Amino acid sequence: MPRTARRAPRAQRARLRDRAPRSTYFLYPGRAEAIRVALAIGGVKFEDERLSVEDWKKHDKSCTPYGQLPVLYADGQPLAQSLAILAYASTIAGLHKCCNTPLTYAKVYEIVFLVDVRLRAYTPLSQPLPPPRPRAR
């Protein structure tokens, strides 16, 4: 006889749903800014953990998938990769409520991902630029 998954009790499901996700990224906007914007638009309460580069160097990277940021902890589970996190954030923020066809669903992502691209265009570089080469005359 196949095993069926048991649902968590109603009170436990409510606690998980109401637990605020935690976004972890650096002090500057970067890859996490579109995630923060999506959550804010949807009125989702979340913990915004921002680390300095020095804090990140001391951080236990084994607590993050792939040892990199951003990471979103939702229901106690880490979620990595900014576009995957952005897709999750836009879903829990309810940005897909207007979707009744696959095309309208894709249009929501088109806008969400455009915001991500535009915000990254204004993000300061995390690595210093190399010194310019002298021009040949």
Side-chain angles (χ1 to χ4, degrees):
M1 178 176 253
R3 295 180 90 185
T4 57
R6 286 199 270 173
R7 292 181 66 179
R10 184 178 302 207
Q12 183 181 5
R13 287 195 314 267
R15 271 195 316 275
L16 288 174
R17 185 180 59 245
D18 295 337
R19 187 185 309 167
R22 178 171 46 113
S23 170
T24 303
Y25 195 63
F26 297 107
L27 293 172
Y28 52 87
R31 302 291 295 178
E33 193 63 17
I35 297 163
R36 294 178 189 124
V37 168
L39 292 170
I41 288 172
V44 176
K45 293 179 181 171
F46 67 101
E47 182 183 338
D48 189 9
E49 179 183 26
R50 298 188 187 208
L51 303 173
S52 68
V53 175
E54 293 79 27
D55 289 340
W56 175 242
K57 288 177 182 176
K58 298 174 196 170
H59 195 273
D60 180 11
K61 292 169 185 63
S62 67
C63 296
T64 61
Y66 318 114
Q68 61 189 31
L69 295 177
V71 65
L72 182 84
Y73 296 92
D75 298 333
Q77 298 293 315
L79 180 61
Q81 298 301 311
S82 59
L83 292 180
I85 298 169
L86 184 55
Y88 175 78
S90 64
T91 301
I92 65 170
L95 302 182
H96 302 98
K97 289 179 183 176
C98 65
C99 300
N100 54 7
T101 68
L103 183 59
T104 57
Y105 192 84
K107 286 292 188 182
V108 168
Y109 276 117
E110 178 181 39
I111 294 167
V112 167
F113 292 158
L114 176 67
V115 169
D116 177 60
V117 169
R118 294 291 185 209
L119 288 172
R120 279 189 284 130
Y122 296 105
T123 301
L125 298 173
S126 60
Q127 299 288 330
L129 292 173
R133 292 184 187 171
R135 290 185 179 178
R137 292 187 188 225

